[in-house]
Amino acid sequence: MKMITQHVGFIPGPVNVGVIRTEDQGILVDTGLDDQSAKRIIAAAEEASIDIIGILNTHAHADHYGGNARIRKSFKDLRFIYAPAIEDAVIRYPILEPVYLFGANPIAQLKGKFLMGKPSPAEPLPSPTIPFEDLTIQVISLPGHSINQVGYVCDNVFFCADSIFPKGIVEKYGLLYCFDVEAQQKTLHSLKNLPPYKMIVPSHARPRQNISLLVEENIRHMEEISEAILNLTSAPKTADTLTSQLCTQRDIPLKSIWQYHLHLNTVKAYLAALLKEEMVSVFVEEDALIWVRK
Ligand SMILES: [Zn+2]
């Protein structure tokens, strides 16, 4: 566990797990992917002599809540697991993620641990601030990457979840998953004017005092993808064809059935935003759903 202030630190990993602590109690921000991640967190908490009394999830992607169940089993004094509204439902019923990605009773290939964490109880966040002994944890709305993602601020440290990704991940995956393009763009612009936090901790990048470069890179990535999709709609086509052409054109890896669904749904998020801006239109023709530039 790396402490940033007396009360706030994090456990580094594939997903950075936030820790907010008093003398002997702690609250976690997210819990990693699975039992394995949970065990690392439990070991870190034991080493720091803190009893985990609560979990604050940022959003309902499996790599952020999949450790909840194991943590809950290990800490008998755990009083709450909070998540943003709607996301709490996915944590309780993880099948909802493959359901919304597939749109029907999902095929087995979409039920792996990266799309479905172990279920755990979760309640919607009760208020915009969570008191914890003498500390106050502030909830920051960061929708776009998922339907209702939030971040948390405590002791001047900001856990900003998956609102931004580092350059390495942008380049490796070529297409960042997005649920709502307009919301994500608003979220990114809101991150340009942050109060002078002591530290900002993204889930998938090292903590830093200044994220403006990352924010600019993420904004540019979204602009490039949006432009590429708009250009591809110059000839009418289905979202399926468009996804395939986008991946070929930009060397975006598409190697598995679940990756295909993430990409297709991200493309749909961009198309929905372009439709709202009246840049494209959508209609049914020759028994296909067609998107075309206006
Ligand atoms: Zn995520």
Side-chain angles (χ1 to χ4, degrees), residues 190-203:
S190 77
L191 296 177
K192 281 179 170 178
N193 298 306
L194 292 177
Y197 291 128
K198 188 172 172 61
M199 198 66 85
I200 300 159
V201 188
S203 294

Side-chain angles (χ1 to χ4, degrees), residues 59-61 63-64 145-146 149 162 165 177 204:
H59 65 299
H61 287 161
D63 57 334
H64 294 256
H145 168 75
S146 71
Q149 178 176 249
D162 285 358
F165 285 91
Y177 176 76
H204 300 282

Side-chain angles (χ1 to χ4, degrees), residues 56-218:
L56 297 172
N57 285 124
T58 58
H59 65 299
H61 287 161
D63 57 334
H64 294 256
Y65 75 84
N68 284 12
R70 185 71 180 74
I71 300 272
R72 182 169 169 260
K73 224 166 92 181
S74 287
F75 295 97
K76 300 293 172 214
D77 298 330
L78 194 98
R79 296 202 282 264
F80 62 84
I81 301 175
Y82 291 145
I86 307 178
E87 311 259 357
D88 70 303
V90 182
I91 294 173
R92 280 181 282 127
Y93 300 102
I95 189 70
L96 288 174
E97 177 158 1
V99 164
Y100 71 68
L101 286 172
F102 192 64
N105 190 7
I107 53 177
Q109 288 88 338
L110 296 181
K111 293 183 185 172
K113 72 171 179 182
F114 292 103
L115 294 184
M116 273 181 76
K118 273 196 184 170
S120 97
E123 295 170 75
L125 282 159
S127 54
T129 54
I130 313 286
F132 174 39
E133 303 287 320
D134 291 340
L135 302 166
T136 303
I137 304 164
Q138 192 190 348
V139 180
I140 310 281
S141 182
L142 302 169
H145 168 75
S146 71
I147 192 165
N148 251 343
Q149 178 176 249
V150 299
Y152 298 98
V153 172
C154 185
D155 212 9
N156 232 2
V157 176
F158 178 25
F159 294 100
C160 70
D162 285 358
S163 59
I164 45 167
F165 285 91
K167 203 174 182 179
I169 288 187
V170 179
E171 281 170 358
K172 185 177 171 195
Y173 294 101
L175 182 62
L176 293 178
Y177 176 76
C178 187
F179 175 82
D180 181 332
V181 165
E182 190 188 2
Q184 176 62 7
Q185 281 170 333
K186 270 191 196 157
T187 287
L188 285 171
H189 285 282
S190 77
L191 296 177
K192 281 179 170 178
N193 298 306
L194 292 177
Y197 291 128
K198 188 172 172 61
M199 198 66 85
I200 300 159
V201 188
S203 294
H204 300 282
R206 63 173 171 79
R208 54 198 88 201
Q209 279 169 309
N210 189 328
I211 55 167
S212 48
L213 202 66
L214 279 192
V215 171
E216 287 306 330
E217 281 166 4
N218 280 253

